[in-house]
Coordinates of all heavy atoms in Angstrom, one line a residue:
Chain A
K1395 N 194.3 163.9 198.9 CA 194.5 165.3 198.5 C 195.3 165.3 197.2 O 195.8 166.4 196.8 CB 195.2 166.0 199.5 CG 194.6 166.2 200.9 CD 195.4 167.1 201.8 CE 194.8 167.4 203.0 NZ 195.6 168.1 204.0
N1396 N 195.4 164.1 196.6 CA 196.2 164.2 195.3 C 195.2 164.5 194.1 O 194.2 163.9 193.9 CB 196.8 162.8 195.0 CG 197.8 162.4 196.1 OD1 198.8 163.0 196.2 ND2 197.4 161.5 197.0
V1397 N 195.7 165.5 193.3 CA 194.9 165.9 192.2 C 194.8 164.8 191.2 O 193.8 164.6 190.5 CB 195.6 167.2 191.5 CG1 195.0 167.5 190.2 CG2 195.6 168.4 192.4
K1398 N 196.0 164.0 191.1 CA 195.9 162.8 190.2 C 196.1 161.6 191.1 O 197.0 161.6 191.9 CB 197.0 162.9 189.2 CG 196.9 164.0 188.1 CD 198.2 164.0 187.4 CE 198.0 165.0 186.2 NZ 199.4 165.3 185.6
D1399 N 195.3 160.6 190.9 CA 195.4 159.4 191.7 C 194.7 158.2 191.0 O 193.4 158.3 190.8 CB 194.7 159.6 193.1 CG 194.9 158.5 194.0 OD1 195.4 157.5 193.7 OD2 194.7 158.8 195.3
V1400 N 195.4 157.3 190.5 CA 194.8 156.3 189.8 C 195.1 154.9 190.4 O 195.3 153.9 189.7 CB 195.1 156.3 188.3 CG1 194.5 157.4 187.5 CG2 196.7 156.2 188.1
A1401 N 195.1 154.8 191.7 CA 195.5 153.6 192.4 C 194.3 152.7 192.7 O 193.6 152.8 193.6 CB 196.2 153.9 193.7
G1402 N 193.9 151.9 191.6 CA 192.8 151.0 191.7 C 191.4 151.7 191.3 O 191.5 152.9 190.8
Y1403 N 190.4 151.0 191.5 CA 189.0 151.5 191.1 C 188.8 152.8 191.8 O 189.1 153.0 193.0 CB 187.9 150.6 191.3 CG 188.1 149.3 190.6 CD1 187.8 148.0 191.1 CD2 188.6 149.3 189.2 CE1 187.9 146.8 190.5 CE2 188.8 148.0 188.5 CZ 188.4 146.8 189.2 OH 188.6 145.6 188.5
D1404 N 188.0 153.8 191.2 CA 187.7 155.0 191.8 C 186.6 154.9 192.8 O 185.4 155.2 192.4 CB 187.5 156.0 190.7 CG 187.3 157.5 191.3 OD1 187.1 157.5 192.6 OD2 187.4 158.3 190.5
M1405 N 186.9 154.6 194.0 CA 185.8 154.3 195.0 C 185.0 155.7 195.4 O 183.9 155.7 195.8 CB 186.3 153.6 196.3 CG 187.2 152.4 196.0 SD 186.3 151.2 195.0 CE 185.3 150.6 196.2
T1406 N 185.8 156.8 195.3 CA 185.1 158.0 195.7 C 184.0 158.3 194.8 O 182.9 158.6 195.1 CB 186.1 159.2 195.6 OG1 186.7 159.3 194.4 CG2 187.2 159.1 196.7
R1407 N 184.2 158.1 193.5 CA 183.2 158.5 192.5 C 182.0 157.5 192.6 O 180.9 157.7 192.2 CB 183.8 158.5 191.1 CG 184.9 159.6 191.0 CD 184.4 161.0 191.1 NE 185.5 161.9 191.1 CZ 185.8 162.8 190.1 NH1 184.9 162.9 189.1 NH2 186.8 163.6 190.1
L1408 N 182.4 156.2 192.9 CA 181.3 155.2 193.0 C 180.4 155.5 194.2 O 179.1 155.4 194.1 CB 181.9 153.7 193.1 CG 180.9 152.6 193.2 CD1 180.1 152.6 191.9 CD2 181.7 151.3 193.2
L1409 N 181.0 155.9 195.2 CA 180.1 156.3 196.4 C 179.4 157.5 196.3 O 178.3 157.8 196.8 CB 181.0 156.3 197.7 CG 181.4 154.9 198.1 CD1 182.6 155.0 199.2 CD2 180.2 154.2 198.9
A1410 N 179.9 158.6 195.4 CA 179.1 159.7 195.1 C 177.9 159.3 194.3 O 178.0 158.7 193.3 CB 180.0 160.7 194.3
G1411 N 176.7 159.7 194.9 CA 175.5 159.3 194.2 C 175.1 157.9 194.5 O 174.0 157.4 193.8
S1412 N 175.6 157.2 195.5 CA 175.2 155.9 195.8 C 174.1 155.8 196.7 O 173.6 154.6 197.1 CB 176.4 155.0 196.2 OG 176.9 155.4 197.5
E1413 N 173.6 156.9 197.2 CA 172.3 157.1 198.0 C 172.4 156.3 199.2 O 171.3 155.6 199.6 CB 171.2 156.7 197.0 CG 171.1 157.6 195.8 CD 169.8 157.4 195.0 OE1 168.9 156.7 195.4 OE2 169.6 158.1 194.0
G1414 N 173.5 156.0 199.9 CA 173.6 155.3 201.1 C 173.3 153.8 200.9 O 173.1 153.2 201.9
T1415 N 173.4 153.3 199.8 CA 173.1 151.9 199.5 C 174.4 151.0 199.6 O 174.3 149.8 199.6 CB 172.5 151.6 198.1 OG1 173.4 152.1 197.2 CG2 171.1 152.4 198.0
L1416 N 175.6 151.7 199.7 CA 176.8 150.9 199.7 C 177.5 150.9 201.1 O 178.1 150.0 201.6 CB 177.7 151.4 198.6 CG 177.2 151.4 197.2 CD1 178.2 151.9 196.2 CD2 176.8 149.9 196.8

Side-chain angles (χ1 to χ4, degrees):
Chain A
K1395 292 184 181 178
N1396 299 289
V1397 173
K1398 291 173 175 167
D1399 189 350
V1400 291
Y1403 301 141
D1404 188 344
M1405 310 305 281
T1406 55
R1407 304 291 176 115
L1408 182 55
L1409 284 163
S1412 65
E1413 304 189 0
T1415 63
L1416 301 179

